[in-house]
Amino acid sequence: AQTVTQSQPEMSVQEAETVTLSCTYDTSESDYYLFWYKQPPSRQMILVIRQEAYKQQNATENRFSVNFQKAAKSFSLKISDSQLGDAAMYFCASTTGTASKLTFGTGTRLQVTL
Amino acid sequence: NAGVTQTPKFRILKIGQSMTLQCTQDMNHNYMYWYRQDPGMGLKLIYYSVGAGITDKGEVPNGYNVSRSTTEDFPLRLELAAPSQTSVYFCASSYPNGREGRYEQYFGPGTRLTVT
């Protein structure tokens, strides 16, 4: 069975600083996608960034970037210039098999302090 | 577009009662999904559908049923509710083809269900 592991239950970062959230995954598939979703207290799941496994170039979206290490099955999220609005739960997820089903990690709660 | 909508937002059930969680999407997505999120955990797939009339089990299907009679709607039925079904339920949809954004899932706002 596919697994996604987030080993950091909680992280804290000061405003304007940079933080990296870790994620490792285990898959036997050759074609898959990886995602980071943000879940604020409102519970809404918001897509932060997406990485196609066949692309070597790391994805970036404004202040958010990933470090995708395919051989190591690692997919970390870097948040630069952290803002108070970045405080949330962050979930790493990968597609599983057909129909783009997602397997999620257990999440990392990010606190942003002044 | 309203995206993915779910009703109700909150519900309290007694043990043994039944209910249907509604999910509708207006993006003409083929794929739809139901996930549950237990406290402090990630989302787990309950059921999914790749099109009208086609459904299949996910990781945690026991105690639930689904149907997909139209592209837009994907209701989740709970029969004989149990305390273990206390959770937040998310519906999602996806447009899986060669277009940009393939495999991205769009989520509804969730339904918080408590079974007592």
Side-chain angles (χ1 to χ4, degrees):
Chain A
Q2 187 144 331
T3 58
V4 176
T5 302
Q6 295 179 250
S7 58
Q8 306 155 316
E10 289 191 12
M11 293 284 285
S12 182
V13 63
Q14 283 193 318
E15 197 176 19
E17 297 296 309
T18 296
V19 65
T20 298
L21 308 184
S22 300
C23 173
T24 58
Y25 61 95
D26 186 16
T27 181
S28 58
E29 300 173 13
S30 58
D31 182 18
Y32 56 93
Y33 288 65
L34 298 164
F35 303 90
W36 279 96
Y37 278 90
K38 172 185 178 181
Q39 187 180 46
S42 66
R43 289 202 314 257
Q44 182 68 47
M45 296 290 287
I46 302 166
L47 178 67
V48 175
I49 199 164
R50 167 182 57 242
Q51 175 78 45
E52 294 87 341
Y54 66 87
K55 290 186 178 179
Q56 291 186 331
Q57 187 174 4
N58 290 325
T60 61
E61 286 287 342
N62 301 313
R63 298 183 295 108
F64 299 89
S65 62
V66 299
N67 184 4
F68 174 47
Q69 301 289 328
K70 190 172 184 178
K73 295 183 178 176
S74 171
F75 181 60
S76 61
L77 174 69
K78 185 171 83 171
I79 305 174
S80 304
D81 186 25
S82 296
Q83 301 175 359
L84 294 177
D86 295 334
M89 283 290 288
Y90 286 83
F91 291 97
C92 178
S94 70
T95 54
T96 300
T98 60
S100 306
K101 303 186 293 292
L102 289 178
T103 298
F104 284 85
T106 52
T108 296
R109 182 173 302 280
L110 178 65
Q111 292 184 321
V112 181
T113 59
L114 293 171
Chain B
N1 286 353
V4 180
T5 57
Q6 293 182 237
T7 56
K9 287 187 170 53
F10 304 93
R11 182 73 185 267
I12 298 175
L13 280 183
K14 294 188 183 304
I15 295 172
Q17 287 185 323
S18 301
M19 77 164 294
T20 299
L21 280 66
Q22 301 293 343
C23 175
T24 300
Q25 53 92 8
D26 62 358
M27 297 175 282
N28 202 31
H29 285 174
N30 295 345
Y31 290 4
M32 295 187 73
Y33 315 83
W34 276 105
Y35 295 89
R36 59 176 287 173
Q37 183 181 25
D38 298 332
M41 302 296 289
L43 282 67
K44 293 188 176 181
L45 183 65
I46 305 171
Y47 270 96
Y48 67 99
S49 168
V50 299
I54 306 170
T55 62
D56 206 348
K57 297 177 181 179
E59 184 182 355
V60 289
N62 291 346
Y64 307 94
N65 277 301
V66 293
S67 60
R68 182 96 181 270
S69 57
T70 67
T71 299
E72 295 78 19
D73 300 306
F74 190 41
L76 177 71
R77 178 81 176 163
L78 278 72
E79 305 281 1
L80 299 175
S84 61
Q85 293 178 304
T86 294
S87 191
V88 178
Y89 291 83
F90 288 95
C91 180
S93 71
S94 178
Y95 196 105
N97 61 21
R99 291 166 54 146
E100 186 65 27
R102 69 180 287 207
Y103 293 125
E104 174 182 343
Q105 290 189 17
Y106 296 81
F107 285 83
T111 295
R112 181 179 294 278
L113 175 66
T114 302
V115 182
T116 62

